[in-house]
mmCIF file of all heavy atoms in Angstrom:
data_model
loop_
_atom_site.group_PDB
_atom_site.id
_atom_site.type_symbol
_atom_site.label_atom_id
_atom_site.label_comp_id
_atom_site.label_asym_id
_atom_site.label_seq_id
_atom_site.Cartn_x
_atom_site.Cartn_y
_atom_site.Cartn_z
ATOM 1 N N GLY A 301 12.362 -10.407 -0.399
ATOM 2 C CA GLY A 301 12.874 -11.769 -0.281
ATOM 3 C C GLY A 301 11.903 -12.915 -0.182
ATOM 4 O O GLY A 301 12.313 -14.070 -0.171
ATOM 5 N N LEU A 302 10.592 -12.653 -0.120
ATOM 6 C CA LEU A 302 9.663 -13.750 0.121
ATOM 7 C C LEU A 302 9.384 -14.573 -1.140
ATOM 8 O O LEU A 302 9.416 -14.051 -2.257
ATOM 9 C CB LEU A 302 8.332 -13.225 0.658
ATOM 10 C CG LEU A 302 8.330 -12.663 2.075
ATOM 11 C CD1 LEU A 302 6.949 -12.112 2.418
ATOM 12 C CD2 LEU A 302 8.752 -13.716 3.104
ATOM 13 N N THR A 303 9.118 -15.860 -0.930
ATOM 14 C CA THR A 303 8.506 -16.703 -1.953
ATOM 15 C C THR A 303 7.141 -17.126 -1.416
ATOM 16 O O THR A 303 6.955 -17.271 -0.206
ATOM 17 C CB THR A 303 9.352 -17.949 -2.266
ATOM 18 O OG1 THR A 303 9.632 -18.631 -1.029
ATOM 19 C CG2 THR A 303 10.666 -17.576 -2.926
ATOM 20 N N SER A 304 6.186 -17.299 -2.338
ATOM 21 C CA SER A 304 4.830 -17.587 -1.873
ATOM 22 C C SER A 304 3.979 -18.117 -3.016
ATOM 23 O O SER A 304 4.471 -18.323 -4.129
ATOM 24 C CB SER A 304 4.201 -16.316 -1.274
ATOM 25 O OG SER A 304 3.007 -16.620 -0.576
ATOM 26 N N THR A 305 2.705 -18.322 -2.717
ATOM 27 C CA THR A 305 1.738 -18.833 -3.694
ATOM 28 C C THR A 305 0.525 -17.905 -3.745
ATOM 29 O O THR A 305 0.311 -17.078 -2.851
ATOM 30 C CB THR A 305 1.238 -20.230 -3.289
ATOM 31 O OG1 THR A 305 0.577 -20.125 -1.999
ATOM 32 C CG2 THR A 305 2.370 -21.236 -3.197
ATOM 33 N N ALA A 306 -0.284 -18.097 -4.773
ATOM 34 C CA ALA A 306 -1.495 -17.289 -4.929
ATOM 35 C C ALA A 306 -2.425 -17.451 -3.724
ATOM 36 O O ALA A 306 -2.969 -16.468 -3.216
ATOM 37 C CB ALA A 306 -2.218 -17.681 -6.213
ATOM 38 N N ASP A 307 -2.614 -18.679 -3.252
ATOM 39 C CA ASP A 307 -3.538 -18.887 -2.129
ATOM 40 C C ASP A 307 -3.019 -18.273 -0.834
ATOM 41 O O ASP A 307 -3.800 -17.730 -0.045
ATOM 42 C CB ASP A 307 -3.822 -20.378 -1.948
ATOM 43 C CG ASP A 307 -4.859 -20.887 -2.936
ATOM 44 O OD1 ASP A 307 -6.011 -20.424 -2.859
ATOM 45 O OD2 ASP A 307 -4.515 -21.718 -3.795
ATOM 46 N N ASP A 308 -1.702 -18.364 -0.602
ATOM 47 C CA ASP A 308 -1.146 -17.747 0.608
ATOM 48 C C ASP A 308 -1.372 -16.239 0.599
ATOM 49 O O ASP A 308 -1.797 -15.646 1.598
ATOM 50 C CB ASP A 308 0.355 -18.038 0.713
ATOM 51 C CG ASP A 308 0.647 -19.416 1.289
ATOM 52 O OD1 ASP A 308 -0.283 -20.230 1.404
ATOM 53 O OD2 ASP A 308 1.834 -19.675 1.617
ATOM 54 N N TYR A 309 -1.073 -15.613 -0.528
ATOM 55 C CA TYR A 309 -1.244 -14.156 -0.608
ATOM 56 C C TYR A 309 -2.713 -13.761 -0.532
ATOM 57 O O TYR A 309 -3.065 -12.725 0.037
ATOM 58 C CB TYR A 309 -0.579 -13.604 -1.876
ATOM 59 C CG TYR A 309 0.738 -12.937 -1.562
ATOM 60 C CD1 TYR A 309 1.779 -13.650 -0.982
ATOM 61 C CD2 TYR A 309 0.930 -11.582 -1.804
ATOM 62 C CE1 TYR A 309 2.978 -13.047 -0.670
ATOM 63 C CE2 TYR A 309 2.136 -10.958 -1.496
ATOM 64 C CZ TYR A 309 3.152 -11.696 -0.925
ATOM 65 O OH TYR A 309 4.342 -11.088 -0.594
ATOM 66 N N HIS A 310 -3.579 -14.605 -1.078
ATOM 67 C CA HIS A 310 -5.016 -14.337 -1.000
ATOM 68 C C HIS A 310 -5.469 -14.321 0.458
ATOM 69 O O HIS A 310 -6.234 -13.429 0.870
ATOM 70 C CB HIS A 310 -5.774 -15.403 -1.791
ATOM 71 C CG HIS A 310 -7.243 -15.171 -1.857
ATOM 72 N ND1 HIS A 310 -8.164 -16.142 -1.553
ATOM 73 C CD2 HIS A 310 -7.955 -14.071 -2.193
ATOM 74 C CE1 HIS A 310 -9.395 -15.650 -1.697
ATOM 75 N NE2 HIS A 310 -9.295 -14.405 -2.088
ATOM 76 N N ALA A 311 -4.988 -15.283 1.236
ATOM 77 C CA ALA A 311 -5.356 -15.317 2.661
ATOM 78 C C ALA A 311 -4.945 -14.031 3.356
ATOM 79 O O ALA A 311 -5.693 -13.462 4.166
ATOM 80 C CB ALA A 311 -4.700 -16.524 3.342
ATOM 81 N N TYR A 312 -3.745 -13.539 3.030
ATOM 82 C CA TYR A 312 -3.240 -12.325 3.685
ATOM 83 C C TYR A 312 -4.069 -11.094 3.296
ATOM 84 O O TYR A 312 -4.513 -10.334 4.164
ATOM 85 C CB TYR A 312 -1.773 -12.116 3.321
ATOM 86 C CG TYR A 312 -1.189 -10.889 3.982
ATOM 87 C CD1 TYR A 312 -0.787 -10.927 5.322
ATOM 88 C CD2 TYR A 312 -1.063 -9.689 3.299
ATOM 89 C CE1 TYR A 312 -0.281 -9.804 5.954
ATOM 90 C CE2 TYR A 312 -0.554 -8.568 3.921
ATOM 91 C CZ TYR A 312 -0.165 -8.617 5.239
ATOM 92 O OH TYR A 312 0.331 -7.492 5.863
ATOM 93 N N PHE A 313 -4.305 -10.908 2.007
ATOM 94 C CA PHE A 313 -5.032 -9.715 1.576
ATOM 95 C C PHE A 313 -6.505 -9.770 1.984
ATOM 96 O O PHE A 313 -7.103 -8.732 2.296
ATOM 97 C CB PHE A 313 -4.868 -9.488 0.066
ATOM 98 C CG PHE A 313 -3.611 -8.734 -0.268
ATOM 99 C CD1 PHE A 313 -2.392 -9.385 -0.383
ATOM 100 C CD2 PHE A 313 -3.627 -7.358 -0.427
ATOM 101 C CE1 PHE A 313 -1.222 -8.692 -0.660
ATOM 102 C CE2 PHE A 313 -2.469 -6.648 -0.709
ATOM 103 C CZ PHE A 313 -1.260 -7.309 -0.826
ATOM 104 N N ARG A 314 -7.092 -10.958 2.024
ATOM 105 C CA ARG A 314 -8.462 -11.058 2.534
ATOM 106 C C ARG A 314 -8.508 -10.712 4.023
ATOM 107 O O ARG A 314 -9.464 -10.094 4.492
ATOM 108 C CB ARG A 314 -9.018 -12.478 2.321
ATOM 109 C CG ARG A 314 -9.249 -12.850 0.870
ATOM 110 C CD ARG A 314 -10.270 -11.981 0.164
ATOM 111 N NE ARG A 314 -11.627 -12.141 0.661
ATOM 112 C CZ ARG A 314 -12.681 -11.496 0.174
ATOM 113 N NH1 ARG A 314 -12.533 -10.648 -0.825
ATOM 114 N NH2 ARG A 314 -13.871 -11.695 0.676
ATOM 115 N N MET A 315 -7.471 -11.115 4.767
ATOM 116 C CA MET A 315 -7.394 -10.735 6.183
ATOM 117 C C MET A 315 -7.401 -9.207 6.326
ATOM 118 O O MET A 315 -8.093 -8.646 7.188
ATOM 119 C CB MET A 315 -6.130 -11.345 6.815
ATOM 120 C CG MET A 315 -5.890 -10.966 8.271
ATOM 121 S SD MET A 315 -4.936 -9.428 8.496
ATOM 122 C CE MET A 315 -3.309 -9.930 7.914
ATOM 123 N N LEU A 316 -6.649 -8.512 5.471
ATOM 124 C CA LEU A 316 -6.652 -7.046 5.533
ATOM 125 C C LEU A 316 -8.044 -6.489 5.224
ATOM 126 O O LEU A 316 -8.531 -5.588 5.915
ATOM 127 C CB LEU A 316 -5.621 -6.469 4.558
ATOM 128 C CG LEU A 316 -4.146 -6.793 4.837
ATOM 129 C CD1 LEU A 316 -3.258 -6.097 3.799
ATOM 130 C CD2 LEU A 316 -3.722 -6.405 6.241
ATOM 131 N N LEU A 317 -8.691 -7.034 4.177
ATOM 132 C CA LEU A 317 -10.050 -6.564 3.851
ATOM 133 C C LEU A 317 -11.031 -6.863 4.979
ATOM 134 O O LEU A 317 -12.010 -6.133 5.165
ATOM 135 C CB LEU A 317 -10.554 -7.234 2.569
ATOM 136 C CG LEU A 317 -10.117 -6.658 1.225
ATOM 137 C CD1 LEU A 317 -10.882 -7.344 0.103
ATOM 138 C CD2 LEU A 317 -10.299 -5.154 1.149
ATOM 139 N N ASN A 318 -10.772 -7.939 5.733
ATOM 140 C CA ASN A 318 -11.643 -8.305 6.863
ATOM 141 C C ASN A 318 -11.309 -7.534 8.138
ATOM 142 O O ASN A 318 -11.772 -7.895 9.219
ATOM 143 C CB ASN A 318 -11.513 -9.812 7.162
ATOM 144 C CG ASN A 318 -12.189 -10.666 6.120
ATOM 145 O OD1 ASN A 318 -13.102 -10.219 5.440
ATOM 146 N ND2 ASN A 318 -11.725 -11.903 5.977
ATOM 147 N N GLY A 319 -10.477 -6.527 8.026
ATOM 148 C CA GLY A 319 -10.157 -5.719 9.201
ATOM 149 C C GLY A 319 -9.257 -6.419 10.198
ATOM 150 O O GLY A 319 -9.281 -6.105 11.393
ATOM 151 N N GLY A 320 -8.458 -7.384 9.712
ATOM 152 C CA GLY A 320 -7.454 -7.998 10.577
ATOM 153 C C GLY A 320 -7.777 -9.393 11.070
ATOM 154 O O GLY A 320 -6.979 -9.984 11.797
ATOM 155 N N THR A 321 -8.946 -9.940 10.686
ATOM 156 C CA THR A 321 -9.297 -11.292 11.144
ATOM 157 C C THR A 321 -9.267 -12.298 9.997
ATOM 158 O O THR A 321 -9.440 -11.945 8.829
ATOM 159 C CB THR A 321 -10.696 -11.339 11.791
ATOM 160 O OG1 THR A 321 -11.669 -10.968 10.815
ATOM 161 C CG2 THR A 321 -10.779 -10.420 12.989
ATOM 162 N N HIS A 322 -9.027 -13.551 10.361
ATOM 163 C CA HIS A 322 -9.010 -14.659 9.395
ATOM 164 C C HIS A 322 -9.669 -15.858 10.060
ATOM 165 O O HIS A 322 -9.233 -16.305 11.121
ATOM 166 C CB HIS A 322 -7.560 -14.991 9.021
ATOM 167 C CG HIS A 322 -7.414 -16.208 8.171
ATOM 168 N ND1 HIS A 322 -7.714 -16.215 6.827
ATOM 169 C CD2 HIS A 322 -7.006 -17.473 8.469
ATOM 170 C CE1 HIS A 322 -7.489 -17.421 6.334
ATOM 171 N NE2 HIS A 322 -7.063 -18.212 7.307
#
Side-chain angles (χ1 to χ4, degrees):
L302 290 177
T303 53
S304 192
T305 61
D307 280 296
D308 279 12
Y309 257 61
H310 184 230
Y312 181 79
F313 275 83
R314 292 298 293 181
M315 177 272 291
L316 296 182
L317 278 188
N318 287 336
T321 62
H322 173 76

